[in-house]
Amino acid sequence: MDNLTFTNTILLMEGLKVAPQSSYPIFILLLLIYVFTMGCNIGLIILISTDKNLHLPMHFLFCNLPLNDILGTTVMLPRLLQDILREVSERYMTYVECVVQAYFVHIFGAASHYVLMIMAFDRYVAICNPLRYTAIMTNKMVVKLSVSAWGLSVLIVSIMLGLTIRLSRCRSKIENPFCDNASLFKLSCESVVINNVFGIIYTVIIFTFSLGSVFITYGKIATVCITSKNKALNRKAIKTCGTHIAVYIVMFVSCASVVFLHRFPEYSESRKLASIMFHIVPPGLNPLVYGLQTKEIRQKFIKLWYRNKVNLK
């Protein structure tokens, strides 16, 4: 090449580093995980959308979670599965495809925080202001909260990737199992100080805002439970909020591990594995932890299972 900027748009993907003899077992394992995750999340959405008894604000807000999990798993796993069966030298992707993948990878990451934050707000209103719950959590409010969560994710990620695609490119290898913002701006030989500063500031803000809102929300809920003599209310609060906190912890730890390991180049392989797990573990666990631990949803699943069992007989 005569100049530092590649005129072609073909990138070589690093993919997942696996030994040749392990490629098929890992492929089958990841495929089963993908099918399980998609089945559970799609099943939850269908169940909530078709059963009128589940047409409640809490469940409608919850639908944002499986939708985001479907996005996060689909944007990464199918491509990763393809690359596992390819030779390392044949794992190509166009620059446009890489940008699109990175865009939805970060939408998934951002929405994971925002969706759980609006779900925490719903639980706060339900437990701390039960008499005003129906007046506050109207269908209009549910739509506003959902649009805010997705809209804010789209806005921030669009700005972040806009700062990256403006850069010229002098490299053509993605040093990551899949495309993300960091792997894209590392293709450039220009200064990426702005990209790094924006990424750090955004990460600090979303982590602080996410942790802070969840901590304050559940702190107030805990205060209500401590001061209340209503044992039925306390049991319900502990069960629903405990489930939500479990989902939040799984998401936060998975996300924080990736961000933390990014700061230590010597742990690059661990960081790559953690980034893959972020797209596998929360989407796979959320339907089990949140869906099946919610009494109404669990009862519907049991009824459907029993009905199918009777029909088979």
Side-chain angles (χ1 to χ4, degrees), residues 65-138:
L65 193 61
L67 278 173
N68 190 48
D69 289 340
I70 290 170
L71 171 67
T73 308
T74 302
V75 76
M76 189 274 293
L77 261 183
R79 176 71 199 197
L80 191 66
L81 288 169
Q82 289 181 35
D83 288 341
I84 288 175
L85 299 181
R86 291 175 177 169
E87 295 293 333
V88 176
S89 60
E90 296 177 358
R91 297 172 179 174
Y92 292 109
M93 178 185 282
T94 67
Y95 180 73
V96 173
E97 289 174 336
C98 191
V99 171
V100 171
Q101 186 183 50
Y103 184 81
F104 287 107
V105 160
H106 288 285
I107 289 289
F108 165 70
S112 295
H113 287 273
Y114 296 133
V115 167
L116 289 175
M117 285 160 61
I118 63 175
M119 289 171 65
F121 174 74
D122 171 77
R123 291 299 82 207
Y124 166 75
V125 176
I127 295 169
C128 298
N129 296 283
L131 298 179
R132 297 186 59 206
Y133 181 76
T134 54
I136 296 174
M137 295 305 298
T138 60

Coordinates of all heavy atoms in Angstrom, one line a residue, residues 65-138:
L65 N -36.3 -6.6 28.9 CA -35.1 -7.4 29.2 C -34.9 -8.6 28.3 O -33.8 -8.7 27.7 CB -35.3 -7.9 30.7 CG -34.0 -8.5 31.3 CD1 -32.9 -7.5 31.4 CD2 -34.3 -9.0 32.7
P66 N -35.9 -9.4 28.0 CA -35.6 -10.5 27.0 C -35.4 -10.0 25.6 O -34.6 -10.6 24.8 CB -36.9 -11.4 27.1 CG -37.9 -10.5 27.7 CD -37.2 -9.6 28.7
L67 N -36.0 -8.8 25.2 CA -35.7 -8.2 23.9 C -34.3 -7.8 23.8 O -33.6 -8.1 22.8 CB -36.6 -7.0 23.7 CG -38.1 -7.2 23.2 CD1 -38.8 -5.9 23.3 CD2 -38.1 -7.8 21.8
N68 N -33.7 -7.2 24.9 CA -32.3 -6.8 24.9 C -31.4 -8.1 24.9 O -30.4 -8.1 24.2 CB -32.1 -5.9 26.1 CG -30.7 -5.3 26.0 OD1 -30.3 -4.7 25.0 ND2 -29.9 -5.4 27.1
D69 N -31.8 -9.1 25.6 CA -31.0 -10.3 25.7 C -31.0 -11.0 24.3 O -29.9 -11.6 23.9 CB -31.6 -11.3 26.7 CG -31.3 -10.8 28.1 OD1 -30.4 -9.9 28.3 OD2 -32.0 -11.2 29.1
I70 N -32.1 -11.0 23.6 CA -32.1 -11.6 22.2 C -31.2 -10.8 21.3 O -30.4 -11.4 20.5 CB -33.6 -11.5 21.7 CG1 -34.4 -12.6 22.4 CG2 -33.6 -11.8 20.2 CD1 -35.9 -12.4 22.1
L71 N -31.2 -9.5 21.4 CA -30.3 -8.6 20.7 C -28.8 -8.9 21.0 O -28.0 -9.1 20.1 CB -30.6 -7.2 20.9 CG -29.6 -6.1 20.4 CD1 -29.7 -6.1 18.8 CD2 -29.9 -4.7 20.9
G72 N -28.5 -8.9 22.3 CA -27.1 -9.1 22.7 C -26.6 -10.5 22.3 O -25.4 -10.6 21.9
T73 N -27.4 -11.5 22.4 CA -26.9 -12.9 22.0 C -26.8 -13.0 20.5 O -25.8 -13.5 20.0 CB -27.9 -13.9 22.5 OG1 -28.1 -13.7 23.9 CG2 -27.3 -15.3 22.3
T74 N -27.8 -12.5 19.7 CA -27.8 -12.7 18.3 C -26.8 -11.8 17.6 O -26.2 -12.3 16.5 CB -29.2 -12.3 17.8 OG1 -30.2 -13.1 18.4 CG2 -29.3 -12.5 16.3
V75 N -26.4 -10.7 18.1 CA -25.5 -9.8 17.5 C -24.0 -10.4 17.5 O -23.2 -10.0 16.7 CB -25.5 -8.4 18.1 CG1 -24.8 -8.4 19.4 CG2 -24.9 -7.4 17.1
M76 N -23.8 -11.3 18.4 CA -22.5 -11.9 18.6 C -22.3 -13.4 18.3 O -21.4 -13.8 17.6 CB -22.0 -11.6 20.1 CG -20.5 -11.8 20.3 SD -20.2 -13.6 20.8 CE -21.0 -13.7 22.4
L77 N -23.2 -14.2 18.9 CA -23.0 -15.6 18.8 C -23.0 -16.3 17.4 O -22.2 -17.1 17.1 CB -24.0 -16.3 19.8 CG -23.4 -16.8 21.1 CD1 -24.5 -17.5 21.9 CD2 -22.2 -17.6 21.0
P78 N -24.0 -16.0 16.6 CA -24.0 -16.6 15.3 C -22.7 -16.4 14.5 O -22.2 -17.3 13.8 CB -25.2 -15.9 14.6 CG -26.1 -15.6 15.7 CD -25.2 -15.1 16.8
R79 N -22.2 -15.1 14.5 CA -21.0 -14.8 13.8 C -19.8 -15.6 14.4 O -18.9 -16.1 13.7 CB -20.7 -13.3 13.9 CG -19.4 -12.9 13.2 CD -19.4 -13.1 11.7 NE -18.0 -13.1 11.2 CZ -17.7 -12.9 9.9 NH1 -18.7 -12.6 9.1 NH2 -16.5 -12.9 9.5
L80 N -19.8 -15.7 15.8 CA -18.7 -16.4 16.5 C -18.7 -17.9 16.1 O -17.7 -18.5 15.9 CB -18.9 -16.2 18.0 CG -17.7 -16.6 18.9 CD1 -16.5 -15.8 18.6 CD2 -18.1 -16.5 20.3
L81 N -19.9 -18.4 16.0 CA -20.1 -19.8 15.6 C -19.5 -20.1 14.2 O -18.9 -21.1 14.0 CB -21.6 -20.2 15.7 CG -22.2 -20.4 17.1 CD1 -23.7 -20.5 17.0 CD2 -21.5 -21.5 17.9
Q82 N -19.8 -19.2 13.3 CA -19.2 -19.3 12.0 C -17.7 -19.3 12.0 O -17.1 -20.1 11.3 CB -19.7 -18.1 11.1 CG -21.2 -18.2 10.7 CD -21.6 -17.0 9.8 OE1 -20.8 -16.6 9.0 NE2 -22.8 -16.5 10.0
D83 N -17.1 -18.4 12.7 CA -15.7 -18.2 12.8 C -15.0 -19.4 13.4 O -13.9 -19.8 13.1 CB -15.3 -17.0 13.5 CG -15.6 -15.7 12.7 OD1 -15.8 -15.8 11.5 OD2 -15.7 -14.6 13.3
I84 N -15.7 -20.1 14.3 CA -15.1 -21.3 15.0 C -14.8 -22.4 14.0 O -13.8 -23.1 14.1 CB -16.0 -21.8 16.1 CG1 -16.0 -20.9 17.3 CG2 -15.6 -23.2 16.6 CD1 -17.0 -21.2 18.4
L85 N -15.6 -22.5 13.0 CA -15.5 -23.6 12.0 C -14.6 -23.1 10.8 O -14.4 -23.9 9.8 CB -16.9 -24.0 11.5 CG -17.8 -24.6 12.5 CD1 -19.1 -25.0 11.9 CD2 -17.1 -25.8 13.2
R86 N -14.1 -21.9 10.8 CA -13.3 -21.4 9.7 C -11.8 -21.4 10.2 O -11.5 -21.3 11.3 CB -13.7 -20.0 9.3 CG -15.0 -19.9 8.7 CD -15.4 -18.4 8.4 NE -16.7 -18.3 7.7 CZ -17.3 -17.1 7.6 NH1 -16.8 -16.0 8.1 NH2 -18.4 -17.1 6.9
E87 N -11.0 -21.4 9.2 CA -9.5 -21.2 9.4 C -9.3 -19.8 9.9 O -10.0 -18.9 9.5 CB -8.7 -21.5 8.2 CG -8.8 -22.9 7.7 CD -8.1 -23.9 8.7 OE1 -7.2 -23.4 9.4 OE2 -8.4 -25.1 8.7
V88 N -8.3 -19.6 10.7 CA -8.0 -18.2 11.3 C -7.8 -17.2 10.1 O -8.2 -16.1 10.2 CB -6.8 -18.3 12.2 CG1 -6.4 -16.9 12.6 CG2 -7.0 -19.2 13.4
S89 N -7.2 -17.7 9.0 CA -6.9 -16.8 7.9 C -8.1 -16.5 7.0 O -8.0 -15.7 6.1 CB -5.8 -17.4 7.1 OG -6.2 -18.7 6.6
E90 N -9.2 -17.1 7.3 CA -10.4 -17.0 6.5 C -11.6 -16.3 7.2 O -12.7 -16.3 6.8 CB -10.9 -18.3 6.0 CG -9.9 -19.0 5.1 CD -10.3 -20.4 4.6 OE1 -11.4 -20.8 5.1 OE2 -9.6 -21.0 3.9
R91 N -11.3 -15.7 8.4 CA -12.3 -15.1 9.2 C -12.4 -13.6 8.8 O -12.0 -12.7 9.5 CB -12.0 -15.2 10.7 CG -12.0 -16.7 11.2 CD -11.5 -16.8 12.6 NE -11.6 -18.2 13.1 CZ -11.1 -18.6 14.2 NH1 -10.5 -17.7 15.1 NH2 -11.2 -19.9 14.6
Y92 N -13.1 -13.3 7.7 CA -13.2 -12.0 7.2 C -14.5 -11.4 7.5 O -15.5 -12.1 7.6 CB -12.9 -12.0 5.7 CG -11.5 -12.3 5.3 CD1 -11.2 -13.5 4.7 CD2 -10.5 -11.4 5.5 CE1 -9.9 -13.8 4.3 CE2 -9.2 -11.7 5.2 CZ -8.9 -12.9 4.6 OH -7.6 -13.2 4.2
M93 N -14.5 -10.0 7.6 CA -15.8 -9.3 7.8 C -15.6 -7.9 7.1 O -14.4 -7.4 7.2 CB -16.1 -9.1 9.2 CG -17.3 -8.3 9.5 SD -17.7 -8.0 11.3 CE -18.4 -9.6 11.8
T94 N -16.6 -7.4 6.5 CA -16.4 -6.0 5.9 C -16.4 -5.0 7.0 O -17.0 -5.2 8.1 CB -17.6 -5.7 4.9 OG1 -18.8 -5.6 5.6 CG2 -17.6 -6.8 3.8
Y95 N -15.9 -3.8 6.7 CA -15.9 -2.8 7.7 C -17.3 -2.3 8.2 O -17.5 -2.1 9.3 CB -15.1 -1.6 7.2 CG -15.0 -0.4 8.1 CD1 -14.1 -0.5 9.3 CD2 -15.8 0.7 8.0 CE1 -14.0 0.6 10.1 CE2 -15.7 1.8 8.9 CZ -14.8 1.7 9.9 OH -14.7 2.8 10.8
V96 N -18.2 -2.3 7.2 CA -19.6 -1.9 7.5 C -20.2 -2.9 8.4 O -20.9 -2.5 9.4 CB -20.4 -1.7 6.2 CG1 -21.9 -1.5 6.5 CG2 -19.8 -0.6 5.3
E97 N -20.0 -4.2 8.1 CA -20.6 -5.2 9.0 C -20.0 -5.1 10.4 O -20.7 -5.3 11.4 CB -20.3 -6.6 8.4 CG -21.0 -7.0 7.2 CD -20.6 -8.3 6.6 OE1 -19.4 -8.7 6.8 OE2 -21.4 -8.9 5.8
C98 N -18.7 -4.8 10.5 CA -18.1 -4.7 11.8 C -18.7 -3.5 12.6 O -18.9 -3.6 13.8 CB -16.6 -4.5 11.6 SG -15.6 -4.6 13.1
V99 N -18.9 -2.4 11.9 CA -19.5 -1.2 12.6 C -20.9 -1.5 13.0 O -21.3 -1.2 14.2 CB -19.5 0.0 11.6 CG1 -20.3 1.2 12.2 CG2 -18.1 0.5 11.3
V100 N -21.7 -2.2 12.2 CA -23.0 -2.6 12.6 C -23.0 -3.5 13.8 O -23.8 -3.3 14.8 CB -23.8 -3.2 11.4 CG1 -25.1 -3.8 11.9 CG2 -24.0 -2.2 10.3
Q101 N -22.1 -4.5 13.8 CA -22.0 -5.4 15.0 C -21.6 -4.6 16.2 O -22.2 -4.8 17.3 CB -21.0 -6.5 14.7 CG -21.0 -7.5 15.8 CD -19.9 -8.6 15.6 OE1 -18.8 -8.3 15.3 NE2 -20.4 -9.9 15.7
A102 N -20.6 -3.7 16.1 CA -20.2 -3.0 17.3 C -21.3 -2.1 17.8 O -21.5 -1.9 19.0 CB -19.0 -2.1 16.9
Y103 N -22.1 -1.5 16.9 CA -23.2 -0.6 17.3 C -24.2 -1.4 18.2 O -24.5 -0.9 19.2 CB -23.9 -0.1 16.0 CG -25.0 0.9 16.3 CD1 -24.7 2.2 16.5 CD2 -26.3 0.5 16.3 CE1 -25.7 3.1 16.8 CE2 -27.3 1.4 16.5 CZ -27.0 2.7 16.8 OH -28.0 3.6 17.0
F104 N -24.6 -2.6 17.7 CA -25.6 -3.3 18.5 C -25.0 -4.0 19.7 O -25.7 -4.2 20.7 CB -26.3 -4.3 17.6 CG -27.3 -3.7 16.6 CD1 -27.0 -3.6 15.3 CD2 -28.4 -3.1 17.1 CE1 -27.9 -3.0 14.4 CE2 -29.3 -2.5 16.2 CZ -29.0 -2.4 14.9
V105 N -23.7 -4.3 19.7 CA -23.0 -4.8 20.9 C -23.1 -3.7 22.0 O -23.4 -4.1 23.2 CB -21.5 -5.1 20.6 CG1 -20.7 -5.2 21.8 CG2 -21.4 -6.4 19.8
H106 N -22.8 -2.5 21.7 CA -22.9 -1.4 22.7 C -24.3 -1.0 23.0 O -24.5 -0.6 24.2 CB -22.1 -0.2 22.2 CG -20.6 -0.5 22.2 ND1 -19.9 -0.5 23.4 CD2 -19.7 -0.7 21.2 CE1 -18.6 -0.7 23.1 NE2 -18.5 -0.9 21.8
I107 N -25.2 -1.1 22.1 CA -26.6 -0.9 22.4 C -27.1 -1.9 23.5 O -27.7 -1.6 24.5 CB -27.5 -1.1 21.2 CG1 -27.3 0.1 20.2 CG2 -29.0 -1.2 21.6 CD1 -27.9 1.4 20.7
F108 N -26.7 -3.2 23.3 CA -27.0 -4.2 24.3 C -26.4 -3.9 25.7 O -27.1 -4.0 26.7 CB -26.4 -5.5 23.8 CG -26.4 -6.6 24.9 CD1 -27.6 -7.2 25.4 CD2 -25.2 -7.1 25.4 CE1 -27.5 -8.2 26.4 CE2 -25.1 -8.1 26.4 CZ -26.3 -8.6 26.9
G109 N -25.1 -3.4 25.7 CA -24.5 -3.1 27.0 C -25.1 -2.0 27.7 O -25.4 -2.0 28.9
A110 N -25.4 -0.9 26.9 CA -26.1 0.3 27.5 C -27.5 0.0 28.0 O -27.9 0.3 29.1 CB -26.1 1.4 26.5
A111 N -28.3 -0.7 27.1 CA -29.7 -1.0 27.5 C -29.8 -1.9 28.7 O -30.7 -1.9 29.4 CB -30.4 -1.6 26.3
S112 N -28.7 -2.8 28.9 CA -28.8 -3.7 30.0 C -28.9 -2.9 31.3 O -29.6 -3.3 32.3 CB -27.5 -4.5 30.0 OG -27.4 -5.4 28.9
H113 N -28.2 -1.8 31.4 CA -28.2 -0.9 32.6 C -29.6 -0.2 32.6 O -30.3 -0.2 33.7 CB -27.1 0.1 32.6 CG -25.8 -0.5 32.9 ND1 -25.3 -0.6 34.2 CD2 -24.8 -1.0 32.1 CE1 -24.1 -1.2 34.1 NE2 -23.8 -1.4 32.9
Y114 N -29.9 0.5 31.5 CA -31.1 1.4 31.6 C -32.4 0.6 31.8 O -33.3 1.0 32.5 CB -31.2 2.1 30.3 CG -30.1 3.1 30.1 CD1 -29.4 3.2 28.8 CD2 -29.7 4.0 31.1 CE1 -28.4 4.1 28.7 CE2 -28.6 4.8 30.9 CZ -28.0 4.9 29.7 OH -26.9 5.8 29.5
V115 N -32.5 -0.6 31.2 CA -33.7 -1.4 31.4 C -33.9 -1.9 32.8 O -35.0 -1.8 33.4 CB -33.7 -2.7 30.4 CG1 -34.8 -3.7 30.8 CG2 -33.9 -2.3 29.0
L116 N -32.8 -2.3 33.5 CA -32.9 -2.7 34.9 C -33.2 -1.5 35.8 O -33.8 -1.6 36.8 CB -31.6 -3.4 35.3 CG -31.4 -4.8 34.7 CD1 -30.1 -5.4 35.1 CD2 -32.6 -5.7 35.1
M117 N -32.8 -0.3 35.3 CA -33.0 0.9 36.1 C -34.5 1.2 36.1 O -35.1 1.6 37.1 CB -32.2 2.1 35.6 CG -30.7 2.0 36.0 SD -29.6 3.0 35.0 CE -30.2 4.6 35.3
I118 N -35.2 1.1 34.9 CA -36.6 1.5 34.9 C -37.4 0.4 35.6 O -38.5 0.7 36.1 CB -37.1 1.7 33.4 CG1 -36.9 0.4 32.6 CG2 -36.3 2.8 32.8 CD1 -37.5 0.5 31.2
M119 N -36.9 -0.9 35.5 CA -37.6 -1.9 36.3 C -37.5 -1.7 37.8 O -38.4 -2.0 38.5 CB -37.0 -3.3 35.9 CG -37.4 -3.7 34.5 SD -36.4 -5.2 34.0 CE -37.1 -6.4 35.1
A120 N -36.4 -1.1 38.2 CA -36.2 -0.8 39.7 C -37.2 0.3 40.0 O -37.8 0.3 41.1 CB -34.8 -0.4 39.9
F121 N -37.4 1.3 39.2 CA -38.3 2.4 39.4 C -39.7 1.8 39.6 O -40.5 2.2 40.5 CB -38.3 3.4 38.3 CG -39.3 4.5 38.4 CD1 -39.2 5.5 39.3 CD2 -40.4 4.4 37.6 CE1 -40.2 6.5 39.4 CE2 -41.4 5.4 37.7 CZ -41.3 6.4 38.6
D122 N -40.1 0.9 38.7 CA -41.4 0.2 38.8 C -41.6 -0.4 40.2 O -42.7 -0.3 40.8 CB -41.6 -0.8 37.7 CG -42.9 -1.6 37.9 OD1 -44.0 -1.1 37.6 OD2 -42.7 -2.8 38.3
R123 N -40.6 -1.2 40.7 CA -40.7 -1.8 42.0 C -40.8 -0.8 43.1 O -41.5 -1.0 44.1 CB -39.5 -2.8 42.2 CG -39.5 -4.0 41.3 CD -40.7 -4.9 41.4 NE -41.9 -4.4 40.7 CZ -43.1 -4.6 41.0 NH1 -43.4 -5.3 42.1 NH2 -44.1 -4.1 40.3
Y124 N -40.1 0.3 42.9 CA -40.1 1.3 44.0 C -41.5 1.9 44.1 O -42.0 2.1 45.2 CB -39.1 2.5 43.6 CG -39.3 3.7 44.4 CD1 -38.9 3.8 45.7 CD2 -39.9 4.8 43.8 CE1 -39.1 5.0 46.4 CE2 -40.1 6.0 44.5 CZ -39.7 6.1 45.8 OH -39.9 7.2 46.5
V125 N -42.1 2.2 43.0 CA -43.5 2.8 43.0 C -44.5 1.8 43.6 O -45.3 2.1 44.4 CB -44.0 3.2 41.6 CG1 -45.4 3.7 41.6 CG2 -43.0 4.3 41.1
A126 N -44.3 0.5 43.2 CA -45.3 -0.5 43.6 C -45.2 -0.8 45.1 O -46.2 -1.0 45.8 CB -45.0 -1.8 42.9
I127 N -44.0 -0.7 45.7 CA -43.9 -1.0 47.1 C -43.9 0.3 48.0 O -44.5 0.2 49.1 CB -42.5 -1.7 47.4 CG1 -42.6 -3.1 46.6 CG2 -42.2 -1.9 48.8 CD1 -41.2 -3.8 46.6
C128 N -43.4 1.4 47.5 CA -43.4 2.6 48.4 C -44.6 3.5 48.2 O -44.9 4.2 49.1 CB -42.1 3.4 48.1 SG -40.6 2.6 48.4
N129 N -45.3 3.4 47.0 CA -46.5 4.1 46.8 C -47.6 3.2 46.2 O -48.0 3.4 45.1 CB -46.2 5.3 45.8 CG -45.3 6.3 46.4 OD1 -45.6 7.1 47.2 ND2 -44.0 6.3 45.9
P130 N -47.9 2.2 46.9 CA -48.9 1.2 46.3 C -50.2 1.8 46.0 O -50.9 1.3 45.0 CB -49.0 0.1 47.4 CG -48.6 0.8 48.7 CD -47.6 1.8 48.3
L131 N -50.7 2.8 46.7 CA -52.0 3.3 46.4 C -52.0 4.2 45.2 O -53.1 4.4 44.5 CB -52.5 4.2 47.6 CG -52.7 3.4 48.9 CD1 -53.1 4.3 50.1 CD2 -53.7 2.3 48.8
R132 N -50.9 4.7 44.8 CA -50.7 5.5 43.6 C -50.2 4.8 42.4 O -49.9 5.4 41.4 CB -49.9 6.8 43.9 CG -50.5 7.7 45.0 CD -49.6 8.9 45.1 NE -49.5 9.6 43.8 CZ -48.5 10.4 43.5 NH1 -47.5 10.6 44.3 NH2 -48.5 11.1 42.4
Y133 N -49.9 3.5 42.6 CA -49.2 2.7 41.6 C -50.0 2.8 40.2 O -49.4 3.1 39.2 CB -49.0 1.3 42.0 CG -48.3 0.4 41.0 CD1 -46.9 0.5 40.8 CD2 -49.0 -0.5 40.2 CE1 -46.3 -0.2 39.9 CE2 -48.3 -1.3 39.2 CZ -47.0 -1.1 39.1 OH -46.3 -1.9 38.2
T134 N -51.3 2.5 40.2 CA -52.0 2.5 39.0 C -52.1 3.8 38.3 O -52.2 4.0 37.1 CB -53.4 1.9 39.2 OG1 -54.1 2.7 40.3 CG2 -53.4 0.5 39.6
A135 N -52.1 4.9 39.2 CA -52.1 6.2 38.6 C -50.8 6.7 38.0 O -50.8 7.4 37.0 CB -52.5 7.2 39.7
I136 N -49.7 6.2 38.6 CA -48.4 6.5 38.1 C -47.9 5.6 36.9 O -47.5 6.1 35.9 CB -47.3 6.5 39.2 CG1 -47.6 7.5 40.3 CG2 -45.9 6.7 38.7 CD1 -46.8 7.4 41.5
M137 N -48.0 4.3 37.1 CA -47.6 3.4 36.1 C -48.7 3.0 35.1 O -49.1 1.9 35.0 CB -47.0 2.1 36.8 CG -45.8 2.3 37.7 SD -44.4 3.1 36.8 CE -44.1 1.8 35.6
T138 N -49.0 4.1 34.4 CA -50.0 3.9 33.3 C -49.3 3.3 32.1 O -48.1 3.3 32.0 CB -50.6 5.2 32.9 OG1 -49.6 6.1 32.5 CG2 -51.4 5.8 34.1

